[in-house]
Amino acid sequence: MKSKIINIILFSLVALFLSSCEEWIDHDLNVDPSNPSDVPINLILPAAQGAIAYSAGGELSRYTCMWMQQISGTESHAAGYEKYVLLESDMDNLWKWYTYAGALMDLKRTMDIAQENSSPHYTAVAKTLTAYKLGVSTDVWNDIPYEDAFKGEEGQLVATYHTQEEIYAIINKFLDEAIVELDASESVFSPGSEDLIYGGSLTAWKKAAYSLKARYAIHLSKVNGDAAYSAALAASANGFSENADDMVFTFGTPASEQSPLYQYIEQRPGYIGGLGAKMIEILKNNGDTDPRLAVYAKPTTDGLYVGHPAGAPLDEASQIGEFFAKKDASIVLMSYTELKFIEAEAHFMKSTPDKAAAAAAYNEAVKASLARCGASDVTWETANASETEGTISIEKIMKGKYIATFLQDETFVDWRRHDNILNLQLAAKANTSEIPRRFPYPTNERIYNSANMPEYGSITNRVWWDK
Amino acid sequence: MKKIALLLAIFAIGLSSVFAQTKEISGTVTSADDGSTLPGVSVAVKGTTLGTITDLDGKYTLKVPQDAQTLVFSFVGMETTEAAITGDIVNIEMASDVVGINEVVVTAIGIQKETKALGYSVQKVGGDDIVRSNNTNLVNSIGGKVSGVQVTNSSGTAGGSSFITIRGMASLTRNNQPLFVVDGIPIDNSMNYSGNPDDGRNNLTDGVAYSNRAIDINPDDIAEMAILKGGAATALYGIRAANGVVMITTKSGQKSEGRSIQVNLNSTVQFDKVNQFPEMQYKYAQGLGGDYAGADGPWWKMFSWGPDVSTLEYDGDTDYKWDPRGRLVPKGTGNGMPAQTFDKKDFFETGLTVNNSVSFSGGTQYSSFYFSVANSHADGIVPENTYDKTSFNFSGDFDLTDKLNIAAKANYIHSGGTRIQQGSNLSGIMLGLMRTATTFDNAAGYEFEDGTQRNYRGGGGYDNPYWTANKSQMNDNVDRLIGNMSINYEVNDNLSLLYRIGIDNYTDKRKMAFAIGSRTVPAGQVQEDEHFQRDINSDLILNYNKQLSDKLNLTLLLGNNMFSSYYQQVYIQGDDLSIPEFNHLSNASGYTVRESVTESRTGAFFGDLGLEYNNLLFFHVTGRQEWATTLPEDNNSFFYPSASLGFVASELPMFKDISALSFLKLRTSYAIIANTPPAYATNTVYDLAAYGDGSTSGISFPFGGTPGFAVGDGLGNTDLKPETTKSFEVGLDLRLLQNRLSFDFTYYNNQHEDLLLWVPLSGTSGYTDRYMNAGSMENKGIELLVSGVPIKTKNFSWEATINFTKNNNKVLELAEGVDNVGLGGFTGSNMRAVKGKAYGSVYGSDWVRNDAGQILLDDDGYPELSQIEVELGSALPEWTMGITNTFTYKNLILSALIDIKHGGIMWNGTKGVLQYFGTHGVTESRGEEFVFDGVNKNTGEKNTKAIVLDEDWYTDLGNGWYGPSSQFIEDAGWVRLKELTVAYKLPENILKGTFIKSLTLNFTGKNLWLDTPYTGVDPETSLMGAHNAQGLDYFNMPGTKSYVFGLKMSF
């Protein structure tokens, strides 16, 4: 009798385990409760814009503008950047988290979802931003992947590279398509207030697409010659018409929204020692002191504007001005002033130059640059932004653009296209024998995509358009 | 799964129908050595689990089945003795067992086995050893004592973590630490990081020293720890034991009639001092280029490249607020008070730890209990750093009938303390302290009346370490309950059934503050970070034991295990504080809120079939079929088997007559064990968008009220399978001359396959990582334990034990097309797993070299920095050794543990950066010439050009910021006197007539002596705490030497 009871108890116990075990291994538990598996496109677009803006005002700006001696890297790693110590491992963040598994992937996803949902307005915005991001990337890395990329979910974990020439074709194709799609009469979803650049203004996006076309046309000046200039001029006609059109991303004052430059100065004090000696020298000698000097730079303790010579031992230099270094600064992706400089250069450089038009565009570009940073000065402009057919020169245009594109990676493109104009000197104690003309590829590619990554030799080697 | 369950059920029922009558046996157990009665001896009916324990007078009473033949008496330190049941009274004498062939150890699932019966290596650490080591963190009590085990104590911080591995690193990126099991219940030993989860990859080097959660166990409660090392030893435990198991058995009361309650009291006081500190220079003053600059001087002169201190004096200017003595001026132009420098070591205090614990235990014939209360308070060597722990532990055991026993245990711990920011950020205390200019006095105040900060850089730069200690604190508050209940039913003499359920539940509430004006977060920040963990473990175990013939015995164990784990982190960060010193979320004007949940379950059936033949052969096979929710649904289970054989050769007739040979056993085992992927590795998700860049904390969404999600970094993998280890082990246990000399040798070969790891992907895939079965690795090694008793007389004995471990690790394969995988660290110096090399290779930047490896130098003798990172060495030691000598004279014991680690490198990142600041001792000889050993890059001829090691050099390529990290790779081996103990037990005749039963006074010194070529802090250090990436020192906290005074009493 007793053993029977025990048998029953034992059997029930085991049966209990048996039945509950099936339910115990519940695979619904393995669905990540902390992160969504689907989100609408109006949540992805702002994320992609954030990645683009933070890297444009962060690493891209720091490395290129230190090399271009607009700012000076004086402490720890930054002192190395200034002397061209830029390692493959320094590239991983920018390549992985900002470019490929960052903005470009998110924009690709945006395009795909928008396409499925018949939303040409959305695809257009994603294409314009993709064109911008591909442009800034190829200009520093030369050959890069695109069409073959983003196939992780299909099991393809690496991508082949396009030549830079092919990338430029993709940029133009995207911009052309965007221009058409922005005019579409119907779009299921259209960007709205979540668009952190233009707040959903399709007109503004169209101007931006044209302006970028002008930029990427003139980048090819060394390889395309006249065709580059005429393409730039044709596009710029439909581009930005005032500073208010500028393609900018504005950061905020809360700790999680502050501009990358503000954060770098705040969290890595001393890394940027101040403005570069070259920048101060050009500003000081632009007319009787460029009014932008006091906006770009803060006076030293002695009340002077002093730049730090690249690679020189530490010494006091003027710090970057509030307008650029404040918490809620705007990062410029493309501006009206840059477009006017492009026009000026194209008019001046084409085989049948139109110097009057070049002068006019130059004067407008300079005035726009002063106005956009609140440094308008009628007296100075009368004296210095009043070039004529007879006085305008390519040196003035490119120096003017160097000033106007302060802290933008665009200065590194322009220097390579006109490297004799600025007459930049190799930094003292440089780690390379010349000023570099490209970035290294990241360690990430060397290790995980070694079959496809082209060898680039040295960072002093040139990209395709930099003949 | 159903089939196995059914089999189990049928088996259980089939065996349960045998029943028998009982009779009562009693007797007295005495010592053969001196005739004294022996209390606490375990008395069992052979071949059953029936048993009792002798009372204070060595007496026992036991109900046994009518047909019971033999009683087995066992006691620690005595040879297990068998006695035939010839009548109602069985009295026996027990002889002492010198080394303990017959000792019993707890093996997997809590099964007690005789050491001699094991086919694999198990080493134990006794409770006395643990108590004598006096470590707050019990993990540290294992270090140096057990072969095959490496323990790294991450810092000298009160409450800091320790990292433990057994037989090398088994997994590439998964947890490499063993499972901790307390009284059969697995407990959590996580080290939970704090900080904004968005910082993800960068936050490992942020923050404070966290605790690994095994620290919560009260060392005084531990009766014994057994270290299960190989696959065969752990196979029954399943996935969580893939890296070995630390089996902890806590103390319990004894069942016996008429015994009074035993009270034990243990009190210790410990003093800690910094044991090794980098050389600093105190010759040159604050400044640059040989010019003096004060804290009010321009920030770019805030180095220690100023003039010779002996040429300076104070000016006594009281308007100069940065130093009460005034500014420094050239001699003869001030007030004549010579310039001073300030020793960096003065910042550290003498740490003080006070431990008190009291336990009560006792029992009746049918029940027993153990109750303890312990409290520990520690003040660290860093000002304001404290750690407190209070634990209550209760266990009770009750025989409801002579067959049915219930037991329960509850351990409540409240722990936590005040931890000081020590990460590699502007507030890290070591950064601020070590970079401080030689002539600046941090101790002269850290805050001015207006609330601004006083530091050597005029309020900028790095936080004054006193500011950090006082104003950037993290408080953690852990409430933890570990409990279990079990029911054991003796169905009959041969069969018993045990059900045990346990829970490990804790909340860890943390509050971190950065005061307004802190350099890391000048606007001020508060963080509320809550971690909640709940593990539930259920075991149903059936034990069957049958004497098949007079020589052959069979044991069978069948079981079911269910385990669930739930973890939640809620993180709230408030930024931009308004009111100083008001560290409350309501004081913030911007918030970041994050939540993360991880949940998983496993279920398993397991079995262990054992056959013992005539004390000669011991054979076991085990199997475990396990299911896990973290695996893909259509491939969610796996089986792992093991087999082991122990062959006691000394039982053979040919050896029996050799009197010198006391014991000889050969053992071998083979097992396949497995480990599963973490939760959600099969998922591809969107992440809340956040962008930082390693230099800045970045932005995160929602941005200005606009939410943003990005395609997640991790690419889910639905083809995952468990990673497996094929573990082979062979060993020899040889004891000679009545156990006076013994050797225990083990060779093992662990082949780890299908290793699970986050494989970094080319960003061009659209993702940054994917969890994959992508790699194989091997650990081969030997463990040798030699112990001997060179001298043993009536009053004096000398025991020596040497344990030696050599493990060779090699990464065999990684993912297709991938040759190395990053484990952690910095750009320019990081840890990687590299194909063909040992796990944990340190990679970093180096000089440009030719194919022959020679440094290429320019015509001036200067080298050039290479763009590409190269391997700089391995952080894993070549071998380790622990030597313990114990001398006993009457009641006095002297014991010394010498710990040797040979080989393994460390990146001395601290030195690299301090060379830049001009505070490192090396910079005292600034201006010296140095000729690089290399060749001219143009001519190929040997370089003879000297360069000058001066400020220009050290602030350029001679520094650790961007100068090659190969300059700062050092040998991190050591020889240390890890523990030195003197204990004196008062003779019993002195205590006779008092209420005190025994009283022991002891002194333990830890790390009293250290010899190492490493020039930084104590090389037993880890930047990331209990983390796989070891071998990096970047402003790590110094280690400590300790002096512990203790008093142990029992009543």
Side-chain angles (χ1 to χ4, degrees), chain B residues 365-386:
Chain B
Q365 193 181 344
Y366 302 107
S367 66
S368 70
F369 77 95
Y370 175 86
F371 174 70
S372 76
V373 185
N375 174 265
S376 159
H377 171 83
D379 289 314
I381 52 170
V382 169
E384 305 300 320
N385 170 214
T386 63

Side-chain angles (χ1 to χ4, degrees), chain A residues 25 27 55 67 102 190 210 219 246 268 280 406 411 443 464:
Chain A
I25 303 301
H27 283 275
S55 54
W67 287 0
S190 294
Y210 275 113
H219 278 190
D246 285 359
R268 302 283 156 175
I280 295 282
F406 182 52
T411 52
T443 306
W464 163 73

Side-chain angles (χ1 to χ4, degrees), chain B residues 117-178:
Chain B
L118 297 175
Y120 43 78
S121 165
V122 173
Q123 208 172 332
K124 66 180 189 179
V125 180
D128 286 347
D129 279 343
I130 297 160
V131 171
R132 217 181 284 151
S133 304
N134 281 304
N135 288 300
T136 308
N137 195 337
L138 72 91
V139 174
N140 293 336
S141 304
I142 307 170
K145 299 195 180 91
V146 180
S147 60
V149 174
Q150 198 191 347
V151 174
T152 306
N153 186 2
S154 66
S155 72
T157 314
S161 66
S162 289
F163 183 73
I164 172 171
T165 57
I166 298 178
R167 289 187 179 167
M169 301 281 198
S171 181
L172 285 163
T173 53
R174 292 288 277 150
N175 177 28
N176 268 313
Q177 299 198 79

Side-chain angles (χ1 to χ4, degrees), chain B residues 95-346:
Chain B
S96 64
D97 167 23
V98 182
V99 184
I101 293 167
N102 296 310
E103 71 178 3
V104 172
V105 290
V106 177
T107 63
I109 315 289
I111 307 157
Q112 291 213 339
K113 285 183 183 162
E114 281 181 304
T115 311
K116 72 172 179 195
L118 297 175
Y120 43 78
S121 165
V122 173
Q123 208 172 332
K124 66 180 189 179
V125 180
D128 286 347
D129 279 343
I130 297 160
V131 171
R132 217 181 284 151
S133 304
N134 281 304
N135 288 300
T136 308
N137 195 337
L138 72 91
V139 174
N140 293 336
S141 304
I142 307 170
K145 299 195 180 91
V146 180
S147 60
V149 174
Q150 198 191 347
V151 174
T152 306
N153 186 2
S154 66
S155 72
T157 314
S161 66
S162 289
F163 183 73
I164 172 171
T165 57
I166 298 178
R167 289 187 179 167
M169 301 281 198
S171 181
L172 285 163
T173 53
R174 292 288 277 150
N175 177 28
N176 268 313
Q177 299 198 79
L179 174 69
F180 281 77
V181 176
V182 179
D183 297 327
I185 304 297
I187 62 154
D188 181 76
N189 183 31
S190 308
M191 184 174 81
N192 297 315
Y193 294 96
S194 265
N196 188 340
D198 294 348
D199 298 345
R201 293 162 186 82
N202 295 323
N203 77 358
L204 291 179
T205 47
D206 277 1
V208 303
Y210 309 104
S211 298
N212 59 304
R213 288 268 64 95
I215 199 173
D216 291 329
I217 302 299
N218 172 20
D220 288 349
D221 284 344
I222 297 174
E224 145 187 334
M225 278 201 273
I227 318 296
L228 313 187
K229 303 176 202 172
T234 63
L236 273 188
Y237 261 119
I239 54 169
R240 300 180 69 214
N243 308 309
V245 182
V246 177
M247 295 287 302
I248 297 169
T249 308
T250 62
K251 291 174 181 159
S252 55
Q254 290 174 351
K255 272 178 215 159
S256 61
E257 200 73 65
R259 288 192 65 185
S260 60
I261 290 174
Q262 166 117 4
V263 182
N264 282 305
L265 209 130
N266 187 17
S267 291
T268 62
V269 180
Q270 169 173 332
F271 302 93
D272 305 308
K273 301 280 276 181
V274 170
N275 71 334
Q276 178 168 316
F277 203 73
E279 277 303 314
M280 306 296 286
Q281 69 90 2
Y282 296 102
K283 188 171 184 324
Y284 295 97
Q286 183 161 6
L288 190 73
D291 297 333
Y292 168 75
D296 62 342
W299 64 264
W300 69 93
K301 289 192 174 175
M302 304 292 177
F303 293 82
S304 293
W305 296 107
D308 193 319
V309 173
S310 64
T311 66
L312 301 172
E313 62 188 26
Y314 290 101
D315 69 357
D317 183 355
T318 50
D319 288 344
Y320 180 72
K321 62 178 183 176
W322 305 98
D323 196 320
R325 306 162 192 87
R327 233 175 250 105
L328 288 175
V329 292
K331 247 191 182 140
T333 60
N335 62 4
M337 182 186 180
Q340 292 178 35
T341 56
F342 302 92
D343 193 332
K344 306 270 189 289
K345 291 194 288 295
D346 291 348

Side-chain angles (χ1 to χ4, degrees), chain B residues 170-171 174-175 177 179 230-232 234-245 602 604 623-628 630-631 635-642 671-678 721-727 751-756 773:
Chain B
S171 181
R174 292 288 277 150
N175 177 28
Q177 299 198 79
L179 174 69
T234 63
L236 273 188
Y237 261 119
I239 54 169
R240 300 180 69 214
N243 308 309
V245 182
T602 60
R624 180 174 173 116
Q625 180 79 31
E626 184 144 5
W627 290 259
T630 60
L631 283 165
N635 186 18
N636 68 355
S637 83
F638 44 98
F639 179 72
Y640 26 113
S642 85
I672 299 175
I673 51 177
N675 202 351
T676 50
K721 51 187 180 179
E723 66 182 17
T724 57
T725 295
K726 290 179 179 153
S727 167
Q751 296 290 325
H752 312 282
E753 291 166 11
D754 291 325
L755 286 175
L756 286 163
N773 291 101

